[in-house]
Amino acid sequence: MRTLFSGEVNAAYGQIYVCSAYGHTLEDSFAGQRAGLCGGAVPGDLFLLTGTHTGSVPFAVELYETEPPLDADVWEDIVEVSFRPESNKIKLVEWDGGRYPLPLSETYRVRYHCRGMDEARGASRDVGEPVLDEYLLRFWPSPPAPDRVVKETSQAAAYWQEFARKQPPGLTAEERAEAERRVRDEEERIRLQQEMDDWGGHLPSDRLRNVRDKLRSVQGYPNGLIGLDAALVLAIDAAGPQEQRALARWAAHRACTTAGVSDIDWIARGLVELDRGERYSPPLDDPRRLRAAVLADEGVPRSHEGTPGLPQAAAFAALFDAAAADPLKAALDALLATAVTHGSAWRRLFAEVRRTFPATAVAPETTSDRQ
């Protein structure tokens, strides 16, 4: 035998729980049972009733390898139910949120022993005050079996036994599985509808789903390129890696030209390296060296504050983005940075993209085409 818990726990409204799922109502927990005091009708949960209304009660949890002794002469009220964990995080839970882990992993028979329920009924008790009622919960591996009343002595137990027998039967395992399936299907439908709304009525490919969270975020563009022109993003995805890489390089050139930095010697050299598929030479090979070069080079246009402005910062970002290993990410990030260099004229930029890269002008597939 192993003692999994021994101490005092706080009851509230005469309730304590064992939870591996989410917890359920009193009525659901006793649905279809004959035994009161321990509700086991909902898989993964036990709903335990106490005589004490509010406060601390002595409580123990024990685990046996085989069925333990009944000890009917020691305890006034005893009931049995079956218990199957719904997760590997099983806890003895107080009403106000206190939790005590219980290392349980099989299908068990549970025997709930109670003593002093009538004496404690409706009472409040603090730690250190005289004990009114006590409880013991014993687990042992066992296949599922109907609940049963082993011993009934107190009026409190009789009351809860009658309550349990008045509860209508709960869902069968098949009915519960079907209900859970319907909930999952509805959640998936809502998720897909939200995704379609984000993408202008179309579902993105798995490639776009994988790269979306990795795309560079830019201040002022909370939804990035998707928020500006989702159809163009879908078309760039469909265009394929060769076209994406070409678009990334084109965008970097356009960003540097628009920001007025393409004629600076080390930037011009970097654009040549980008076109050749070579690694950048200093200072473009390191963000810290690039920052130092930008601040030191008087040829970089400045804002009225004396620092490079937003178009220039976006152009440098486009250079880095265009060299990304993933061609789709490179194209989308570089194009967004280039859109920033164009400010409110980004629509004209996107129109030029579609003219320069005809594959991106193709309308995306409809949702029905993808199914």
Side-chain angles (χ1 to χ4, degrees), residues 10 63 108 231 300 362:
N10 288 320
L63 175 62
Y108 299 94
V300 177
V362 178

Side-chain angles (χ1 to χ4, degrees), residues 10-253:
N10 288 320
Y13 299 94
Q15 301 171 18
I16 302 169
Y17 320 94
V18 170
C19 296
S20 69
Y22 303 102
H24 293 80
T25 65
L26 176 69
E27 290 78 7
D28 288 344
S29 297
F30 287 91
Q33 287 194 189
R34 296 182 57 81
L37 305 183
C38 180
V42 177
D45 291 331
L46 295 177
F47 198 115
L48 307 169
L49 298 171
T50 65
T52 295
H53 180 276
T54 305
S56 183
V57 296
F59 203 100
V61 182
E62 298 174 348
L63 175 62
Y64 288 76
E65 294 183 359
T66 59
E67 181 175 351
L70 192 58
D71 291 342
D73 56 333
V74 178
W75 298 92
E76 296 173 353
D77 299 293
I78 305 173
V79 297
E80 288 183 7
V81 300
S82 292
F83 175 76
R84 177 175 58 83
E86 291 288 288
S87 76
N88 59 1
K89 297 180 179 179
I90 307 163
K91 296 179 175 64
L92 178 66
V93 180
E94 298 172 333
W95 190 88
D96 62 356
R99 297 170 182 270
Y100 308 93
L102 300 177
L104 300 167
S105 60
E106 303 179 48
T107 298
Y108 299 94
R109 191 67 171 168
V110 181
R111 187 176 291 155
Y112 188 41
H113 307 69
C114 311
R115 180 168 55 219
M117 292 193 74
D118 284 347
E119 291 80 0
R121 194 166 190 179
S124 298
R125 175 183 177 270
D126 292 329
V127 175
E129 294 182 347
V131 171
L132 300 175
D133 50 343
E134 300 177 77
Y135 301 91
L136 170 63
L137 197 61
R138 284 174 167 166
F139 290 82
W140 69 95
S142 177
D147 64 286
R148 72 182 185 117
V149 177
V150 178
K151 182 180 179 182
E152 179 186 304
T153 301
S154 68
Q155 293 180 1
Y159 170 84
W160 287 114
Q161 247 78 266
E162 182 180 0
F163 167 83
R165 290 162 188 158
K166 290 180 179 179
Q167 303 311 306
L171 297 176
T172 65
E174 292 76 14
E175 291 170 336
R176 187 176 292 108
E178 175 61 20
E180 292 171 353
R181 184 194 63 77
R182 288 198 297 268
V183 170
R184 290 194 300 271
D185 287 349
E186 178 62 14
E187 290 174 346
E188 178 65 8
R189 185 194 67 78
I190 293 172
R191 186 193 68 78
L192 289 175
Q193 184 60 56
Q194 181 61 56
E195 189 174 35
M196 287 179 64
D197 291 345
D198 292 344
W199 290 90
H202 305 277
L203 288 178
S205 68
D206 289 339
R207 294 184 302 276
L208 277 175
R209 289 190 180 102
N210 291 336
V211 80
R212 180 175 184 176
D213 292 339
K214 302 175 184 177
L215 297 180
R216 185 186 298 278
S217 59
V218 176
Q219 185 176 1
Y221 299 85
N223 295 317
L225 208 59
I226 299 166
L228 296 178
D229 195 331
L232 180 58
V233 175
L234 291 165
I236 291 171
D237 173 41
Q242 185 173 351
E243 197 83 344
Q244 292 158 5
R245 184 61 70 189
L247 173 56
R249 292 166 178 163
W250 179 91
H253 279 272

